[in-house]
């Protein structure tokens, strides 16, 4: 069976592809203005949305901050799905002053404008689920990775210490470096030279006693 021409299919999609944008009338005192809300995102936009939220809810040392999730999620909805301007605040002092996104104000704006309407919107509900999944995946990856490194490093240190304590006289510096090298391979964050010095210092102090 022959295939339909690509141009025919693309023309069909172009004719029927319509970005769903809903207007919302917002009132301030006696005046009003109109905002526009997208009801769906492309796959690439969804990916950026999820990455933006996930990247923003872990602090500098990689700890998950659950209290950041809702304000960041709401701010991202407003940024990526409406034509409302981002709200900012100034942080720092003197020459270090700089504007940053005010997620608390954005979250408050989200609640005032939309209330629970977004919670029953399929696309936003799906985005929320995707963000939760991404956060849980990152938490599991961090926990698994850290746990494995610590466990393997601790075991290697214990084995090395036991070996040295039993064979102080027979273990020369070359062998010690080889042991430390193996340990460094297992626990990449350890400094080989510092580890060797620490072990030798501990051994010498033990012999002095």
């Amino acid at each position: 069976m022959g295939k339909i021409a690509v141009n025919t299919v693309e023309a069909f999609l172009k004719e029927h592809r319509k970005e769903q944008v809903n207007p919302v009338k917002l009132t301030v005192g006696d005046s009003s203005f109109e905002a526009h809300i997208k009801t769906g995102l492309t796959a690439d936009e969804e990916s950026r949305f999820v990455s933006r939220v996930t990247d923003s809810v872990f602090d500098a040392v990689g700890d998950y901050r659950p209290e950041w999730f809702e304000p960041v999620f709401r701010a991202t909805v407003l940024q990526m799905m409406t034509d409302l301007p981002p709200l900012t605040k100034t942080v720092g002092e003197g020459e270090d002053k700089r504007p940053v996104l005010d997620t608390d104000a954005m979250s408050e704006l989200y609640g005032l404008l939309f209330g629970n309407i977004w919670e029953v919107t399929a696309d936003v509900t799906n985005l929320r689920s995707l963000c939760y999944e991404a956060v849980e995946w990152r938490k599991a990856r961090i926990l698994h990775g850290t746990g494995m490194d610590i466990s393997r490093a601790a075991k290697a240190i214990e084995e090395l210490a036991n070996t040295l304590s039993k064979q102080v006289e027979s273990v020369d510096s070359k062998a010690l470096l080889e042991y430390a090298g193996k340990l460094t391979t297992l626990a990449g964050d350890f400094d080989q030279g510092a580890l060797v010095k620490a072990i030798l210092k501990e051994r010498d102090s033990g012999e002095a006693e």
Side-chain angles (χ1 to χ4, degrees), residues 23-190:
V24 175
K25 186 177 181 180
L26 308 174
T27 302
V28 182
D30 296 331
S31 62
S32 64
F33 63 98
E34 190 173 82
H36 300 86
I37 305 167
K38 294 172 66 172
T39 59
L41 298 177
T42 66
D44 286 341
E45 288 172 335
E46 283 189 352
S47 180
R48 291 200 302 273
F49 186 106
V50 172
S51 293
R52 186 179 297 183
V53 173
T54 307
D55 291 343
S56 299
V57 296
F58 288 85
D59 63 21
V61 296
D63 291 333
Y64 174 52
R65 301 295 297 271
E67 70 275 19
W68 292 354
F69 184 93
E70 190 63 24
V72 168
F73 180 84
R74 290 184 170 199
T76 307
V77 168
L78 295 184
Q79 285 182 291
M80 295 191 64
M81 301 185 74
T82 77
D83 56 358
L84 292 165
L87 302 179
T88 62
K89 62 182 179 181
T90 301
V91 298
E93 298 291 338
E95 295 182 356
D96 294 330
K97 282 187 177 180
R98 65 189 186 281
V100 298
L101 186 69
D102 190 341
T103 53
D104 289 329
M106 295 285 279
S107 178
E108 183 181 3
L109 178 62
Y110 176 106
L112 290 172
L113 296 180
F114 307 119
N116 292 323
I117 186 172
W118 285 102
E119 303 308 317
V120 295
T121 302
D123 196 69
V124 173
T125 300
N126 179 57
L127 286 169
R128 184 181 289 277
S129 296
L130 291 174
C131 289
Y132 278 135
E133 288 180 21
V135 165
E136 290 302 317
W137 178 84
R138 181 171 295 191
K139 285 163 60 180
R141 188 185 67 175
I142 292 172
L143 181 62
H144 175 74
T146 302
M148 287 296 292
D149 289 344
I150 292 175
S151 175
R152 294 171 67 187
K155 183 175 179 58
I157 290 171
E158 182 181 1
E159 291 177 353
L160 180 56
N162 288 336
T163 300
L164 289 174
S165 66
K166 295 175 182 177
Q167 302 177 3
V168 171
E169 298 299 329
S170 61
V171 176
D172 58 19
S173 59
K174 182 179 179 180
L176 183 58
L177 286 171
E178 289 177 355
Y179 276 119
K182 292 178 182 178
L183 177 58
T184 306
T185 301
L186 287 175
D189 292 335
F190 283 87

